[in-house]
Short mmCIF file of all heavy atoms in Angstrom, two decimals:
data_model
loop_
_atom_site.label_atom_id
_atom_site.label_comp_id
_atom_site.label_asym_id
_atom_site.label_seq_id
_atom_site.Cartn_x
_atom_site.Cartn_y
_atom_site.Cartn_z
N ALA A 1 2.10 -7.26 -4.96
CA ALA A 1 3.00 -7.75 -3.87
C ALA A 1 2.32 -7.66 -2.48
O ALA A 1 2.51 -8.49 -1.59
CB ALA A 1 4.31 -6.95 -3.83
N LEU A 2 1.41 -6.68 -2.36
CA LEU A 2 0.84 -6.44 -0.99
C LEU A 2 -0.63 -6.83 -0.88
O LEU A 2 -1.06 -7.30 0.13
CB LEU A 2 1.02 -4.98 -0.66
CG LEU A 2 2.44 -4.56 -0.46
CD1 LEU A 2 2.49 -3.04 -0.04
CD2 LEU A 2 3.23 -5.37 0.50
N CYS A 3 -1.48 -6.64 -1.90
CA CYS A 3 -2.86 -6.94 -1.87
C CYS A 3 -3.09 -8.42 -1.59
O CYS A 3 -2.46 -9.22 -2.34
CB CYS A 3 -3.57 -6.48 -3.12
SG CYS A 3 -3.63 -4.61 -3.19
N GLY A 4 -3.97 -8.78 -0.58
CA GLY A 4 -4.20 -10.16 -0.27
C GLY A 4 -3.24 -10.71 0.64
O GLY A 4 -3.43 -11.95 1.04
N TRP A 5 -2.29 -10.05 1.13
CA TRP A 5 -1.18 -10.50 1.98
C TRP A 5 -1.30 -9.76 3.33
O TRP A 5 -1.65 -8.66 3.38
CB TRP A 5 0.14 -10.29 1.31
CG TRP A 5 1.32 -10.56 2.24
CD1 TRP A 5 1.86 -11.75 2.55
CD2 TRP A 5 2.13 -9.58 2.86
NE1 TRP A 5 2.95 -11.57 3.32
CE2 TRP A 5 3.13 -10.26 3.53
CE3 TRP A 5 2.10 -8.16 2.93
CZ2 TRP A 5 4.09 -9.58 4.39
CZ3 TRP A 5 3.06 -7.55 3.71
CH2 TRP A 5 4.06 -8.24 4.36
N ALA A 6 -0.91 -10.55 4.35
CA ALA A 6 -0.83 -9.87 5.73
C ALA A 6 0.50 -10.22 6.32
O ALA A 6 1.04 -11.29 6.19
CB ALA A 6 -1.96 -10.48 6.66
N PRO A 7 1.12 -9.22 6.99
CA PRO A 7 2.50 -9.36 7.49
C PRO A 7 2.52 -10.19 8.83
O PRO A 7 3.57 -10.69 9.17
CB PRO A 7 2.98 -8.04 7.74
CG PRO A 7 1.75 -7.12 7.82
CD PRO A 7 0.75 -7.84 7.03
N GLY A 8 1.48 -10.29 9.49
CA GLY A 8 1.52 -10.91 10.89
C GLY A 8 0.16 -11.52 11.20
O GLY A 8 -0.52 -12.10 10.43
N ASP A 9 -0.24 -11.19 12.44
CA ASP A 9 -1.46 -11.79 12.91
C ASP A 9 -2.68 -10.78 12.84
O ASP A 9 -3.63 -10.87 13.61
CB ASP A 9 -1.30 -12.20 14.40
CG ASP A 9 -0.92 -11.10 15.30
OD1 ASP A 9 -0.66 -9.97 14.80
OD2 ASP A 9 -0.84 -11.29 16.55
N GLU A 10 -2.64 -9.93 11.90
CA GLU A 10 -3.73 -8.95 11.61
C GLU A 10 -5.05 -9.78 11.26
O GLU A 10 -4.97 -10.91 10.79
CB GLU A 10 -3.43 -8.03 10.48
CG GLU A 10 -2.39 -7.01 10.84
CD GLU A 10 -1.01 -7.55 10.81
OE1 GLU A 10 -0.81 -8.64 10.23
OE2 GLU A 10 -0.03 -6.83 11.28
N VAL A 11 -6.14 -9.18 11.47
CA VAL A 11 -7.52 -9.83 11.25
C VAL A 11 -7.65 -9.96 9.76
O VAL A 11 -8.19 -11.03 9.26
CB VAL A 11 -8.58 -8.94 11.84
CG1 VAL A 11 -9.98 -9.52 11.40
CG2 VAL A 11 -8.43 -8.93 13.34
N GLY A 12 -7.23 -9.06 8.86
CA GLY A 12 -7.44 -9.13 7.41
C GLY A 12 -6.20 -9.13 6.65
O GLY A 12 -5.18 -9.41 7.18
N VAL A 13 -6.32 -8.77 5.38
CA VAL A 13 -5.19 -8.66 4.49
C VAL A 13 -5.18 -7.30 3.80
O VAL A 13 -6.17 -6.60 3.84
CB VAL A 13 -5.24 -9.76 3.38
CG1 VAL A 13 -5.12 -11.20 3.92
CG2 VAL A 13 -6.55 -9.63 2.61
N PHE A 14 -3.98 -6.92 3.24
CA PHE A 14 -3.94 -5.64 2.61
C PHE A 14 -4.86 -5.52 1.40
O PHE A 14 -5.01 -6.49 0.65
CB PHE A 14 -2.51 -5.31 2.20
CG PHE A 14 -1.61 -4.86 3.24
CD1 PHE A 14 -0.59 -5.57 3.68
CD2 PHE A 14 -1.86 -3.51 3.84
CE1 PHE A 14 0.25 -5.08 4.70
CE2 PHE A 14 -1.04 -3.02 4.85
CZ PHE A 14 0.04 -3.90 5.31
N GLU A 15 -5.41 -4.29 1.31
CA GLU A 15 -6.25 -3.97 0.15
C GLU A 15 -5.75 -2.63 -0.34
O GLU A 15 -5.25 -1.82 0.38
CB GLU A 15 -7.68 -3.70 0.58
CG GLU A 15 -8.39 -4.89 1.27
CD GLU A 15 -9.71 -4.58 1.87
OE1 GLU A 15 -10.12 -3.35 1.91
OE2 GLU A 15 -10.37 -5.48 2.36
N LEU A 16 -5.92 -2.43 -1.66
CA LEU A 16 -5.52 -1.13 -2.33
C LEU A 16 -6.51 -0.11 -1.85
O LEU A 16 -7.76 -0.38 -1.98
CB LEU A 16 -5.49 -1.27 -3.78
CG LEU A 16 -5.24 0.03 -4.59
CD1 LEU A 16 -3.76 0.50 -4.22
CD2 LEU A 16 -5.43 -0.21 -6.06
N SER A 17 -6.06 1.07 -1.39
CA SER A 17 -6.97 2.11 -1.02
C SER A 17 -6.96 3.26 -2.08
O SER A 17 -7.91 3.69 -2.52
CB SER A 17 -6.56 2.70 0.37
OG SER A 17 -7.30 3.75 0.72
N ALA A 18 -5.73 3.62 -2.57
CA ALA A 18 -5.60 4.75 -3.50
C ALA A 18 -4.29 4.68 -4.12
O ALA A 18 -3.25 4.23 -3.48
CB ALA A 18 -5.95 6.05 -2.89
N GLU A 19 -4.16 5.22 -5.25
CA GLU A 19 -2.87 5.38 -5.94
C GLU A 19 -2.90 6.70 -6.72
O GLU A 19 -3.89 6.86 -7.46
CB GLU A 19 -2.44 4.22 -6.79
CG GLU A 19 -1.08 4.35 -7.39
CD GLU A 19 -0.69 3.04 -8.13
OE1 GLU A 19 -1.11 2.84 -9.20
OE2 GLU A 19 0.17 2.38 -7.49
N ARG A 20 -1.89 7.55 -6.56
CA ARG A 20 -1.95 8.81 -7.35
C ARG A 20 -0.52 9.30 -7.60
O ARG A 20 0.41 8.98 -6.87
CB ARG A 20 -2.72 9.83 -6.49
CG ARG A 20 -2.07 10.21 -5.19
CD ARG A 20 -2.87 11.10 -4.33
NE ARG A 20 -2.22 11.32 -3.08
CZ ARG A 20 -2.23 10.51 -2.00
NH1 ARG A 20 -2.79 9.37 -2.12
NH2 ARG A 20 -1.65 10.88 -0.92
N PRO A 21 -0.38 10.08 -8.59
CA PRO A 21 0.94 10.74 -8.88
C PRO A 21 1.17 11.73 -7.71
O PRO A 21 0.19 12.26 -7.21
CB PRO A 21 0.83 11.42 -10.12
CG PRO A 21 -0.57 11.14 -10.64
CD PRO A 21 -1.31 10.34 -9.69
N ALA A 22 2.34 12.00 -7.43
CA ALA A 22 2.74 13.00 -6.37
C ALA A 22 3.66 14.02 -7.03
O ALA A 22 4.31 13.73 -7.96
CB ALA A 22 3.47 12.28 -5.19
N PRO A 23 3.69 15.19 -6.47
CA PRO A 23 4.52 16.27 -6.91
C PRO A 23 5.96 15.69 -7.01
O PRO A 23 6.41 15.00 -6.10
CB PRO A 23 4.46 17.36 -6.00
CG PRO A 23 3.16 17.12 -5.30
CD PRO A 23 2.94 15.60 -5.22
N SER A 24 6.62 16.07 -8.07
CA SER A 24 8.05 15.56 -8.15
C SER A 24 8.86 16.67 -8.82
O SER A 24 8.36 17.67 -9.32
CB SER A 24 8.18 14.29 -9.04
OG SER A 24 7.50 14.47 -10.32
N GLN A 25 10.25 16.41 -8.82
CA GLN A 25 11.15 17.41 -9.33
C GLN A 25 12.36 16.75 -9.91
O GLN A 25 12.59 15.54 -9.75
CB GLN A 25 11.51 18.38 -8.21
CG GLN A 25 12.13 17.66 -7.06
CD GLN A 25 12.47 18.65 -5.88
OE1 GLN A 25 12.70 19.82 -6.07
NE2 GLN A 25 12.55 18.13 -4.71
N ARG A 26 13.22 17.50 -10.61
CA ARG A 26 14.46 17.00 -11.11
C ARG A 26 14.43 15.73 -11.94
O ARG A 26 15.17 14.90 -11.73
CB ARG A 26 15.49 16.91 -9.97
CG ARG A 26 15.70 18.12 -9.23
CD ARG A 26 16.75 18.04 -8.21
NE ARG A 26 16.59 19.14 -7.27
CZ ARG A 26 17.05 19.02 -6.00
NH1 ARG A 26 17.59 18.06 -5.51
NH2 ARG A 26 16.89 20.20 -5.26
#
């Protein structure tokens, strides 16, 4: 949904930087 897309007049487009599990509960 986000990679390759830009929301406005930015110079570039979104790229994936990192993805990780996060601490969770319940």
Side-chain angles (χ1 to χ4, degrees):
L2 298 182
C3 290
W5 170 79
D9 60 356
E10 291 78 13
V11 173
V13 294
F14 277 114
E15 301 171 354
L16 176 66
S17 177
E19 184 170 74
R20 66 186 175 283
S24 56
Q25 58 183 334
R26 300 182 198 156

